Amino acid sequence: MDIDQRGAVCVLGTGLIGGSLLRAAVASGYAAFGYNRSASGVSAACADGFDVSGDLSAVLRRAAEVDALLVIAVPMPAVDSLLADIAALAPECPLTDVVSVKGPVLDAVRKHGLEGLYVGGHPMAGTSQSGWAATDSELFQGAVWAVGVDEGTQVEPWSRVVRLALDCGSVVVPVVAEEHDQAVARISHLPHVLAEALAASGAAGGKLSLGLAAGSFRDGTRVAGTAPDLVRAICEPNATALEQVLDEAIETLVTARDALRAHSTLGDLVETGFQGRTAYESRTTWDITGIAPGTSDWLGELRRAGRVGGVLRAL
């Protein structure tokens, strides 16, 4: 597929995820350019040969001229302001994002009247590093990329977002915003919180504890190495769903503590945890085929398929 068929991509925010997306899009043959607020980030990207500017107005005007797919790749606290600029300067551009929550982004998109061309997105990839220096064109290879199929989603922008995700090496899972946020509270945001608690507990044991720490502590605390402000930006916008799963986790831990106190056993926790890990390791997916975008109930069919392990590997 040549560049004209692919269409242009404009990445707004070139940190780890946005910058890696810019690299992957260019490597896949897209005419891709971007914006970054940080002058040092702009300089670093440009030094590596990428078309990145710190002039948001100019970048959005350019995107409007070439009908670029806009990709919002800034933390949730910066989304509203960015959407206001998009509404003013590039309101006809198709729009997606890579923010780790979907409901709050969708609400903000609706607030600015941009929902007609918006398709939510969330590549399930990342590292504990941040900034342009951490970017990697291979970051999305083999990853899952959640793509929105909320009510009102339009075929053309949806197809462009799915094609971009596939071209970056990912498989696509169709999701609706609320269900996405409930799921990532369990498998992304809660692990961040537990990793922080585990890291704090280990450090509280002093030099001896840290000196004895090995693989289980290292693996369990990996994401605690993420910059605190970024962790807050990832987790806190999903507060409602995260609060619910935190309550469940706390109840589980309290039950295990009480069993240990009363009977010197961890009770069911070890067995249910083992079963959960086994279910993760033995999970299977199946290819979604035969659903033509734009036909009757195509969004509903995709929603149902995504809920039960279906993935898109091609359009």
Side-chain angles (χ1 to χ4, degrees), residues 22-300:
L22 180 61
R23 285 185 180 273
V26 170
S28 297
Y30 284 85
F33 56 98
Y35 157 80
N36 198 66
R37 180 174 62 89
S38 163
S40 61
V42 171
S43 297
C46 291
D48 284 346
F50 291 87
D51 187 355
V52 176
S53 169
D55 187 338
L56 178 59
S57 295
V59 168
L60 289 176
R61 291 190 182 97
R62 177 182 175 187
E65 290 173 359
V66 298
D67 189 36
L69 171 61
L70 299 177
V71 182
I72 295 175
V74 299
M76 187 64 215
V79 167
D80 189 72
S81 175
L82 186 56
L83 286 171
D85 289 318
I86 292 170
L89 297 172
E92 301 302 320
C93 284
L95 176 65
T96 188
D97 72 288
V98 292
V99 181
S100 64
V101 289
K102 299 275 67 75
V105 176
L106 181 56
D107 289 342
V109 166
R110 287 171 173 160
K111 170 186 169 183
H112 291 280
L114 297 168
E115 65 271 23
L117 293 173
Y118 171 71
V119 178
H122 182 200
M124 303 301 297
T127 72
S128 62
Q129 305 303 307
S130 60
W132 178 263
T135 60
D136 180 3
S137 64
E138 301 291 311
L139 184 66
F140 310 109
Q141 289 292 327
V144 169
W145 198 307
V147 174
V149 285
D150 296 277
E151 197 65 38
T153 299
Q154 299 299 305
V155 172
E156 197 275 337
W158 182 85
S159 298
R160 287 183 68 173
V161 174
V162 170
R163 186 173 293 114
L164 175 62
L166 296 175
D167 286 342
C168 288
S170 296
V171 299
V172 168
V173 173
V175 295
V176 296
E178 181 180 1
E179 293 173 4
H180 166 277
D181 291 354
Q182 291 171 348
V184 296
R186 295 180 178 278
I187 53 83
S188 177
H189 303 161
L190 179 63
H192 270 286
V193 175
L194 295 179
E196 305 290 356
L198 180 57
S201 177
K207 292 183 178 180
L208 178 59
S209 290
L210 296 179
L212 294 173
S216 59
F217 183 80
R218 180 195 64 235
D219 296 344
T221 61
R222 180 185 65 81
V223 294
T226 307
D229 286 348
L230 182 56
V231 174
R232 294 186 182 99
I234 290 170
C235 297
E236 290 173 358
N238 202 22
T240 300
L242 180 54
E243 180 183 348
Q244 177 184 341
V245 298
L246 269 171
D247 282 343
E248 292 178 9
I250 291 167
E251 182 178 353
T252 297
L253 292 172
V254 167
T255 299
R257 182 206 61 193
D258 291 347
L260 190 64
R261 178 181 292 159
H263 308 293
S264 299
T265 174
L266 289 171
D268 295 334
L269 176 60
V270 175
E271 284 75 19
T272 56
F274 178 79
Q275 291 165 8
R277 176 68 186 193
T278 301
Y280 167 70
E281 292 177 340
S282 62
R283 69 198 186 284
T284 59
T285 61
W286 53 274
D287 291 357
I288 300 171
T289 59
I291 300 175
T295 57
S296 176
D297 197 34
W298 69 284
L299 290 171

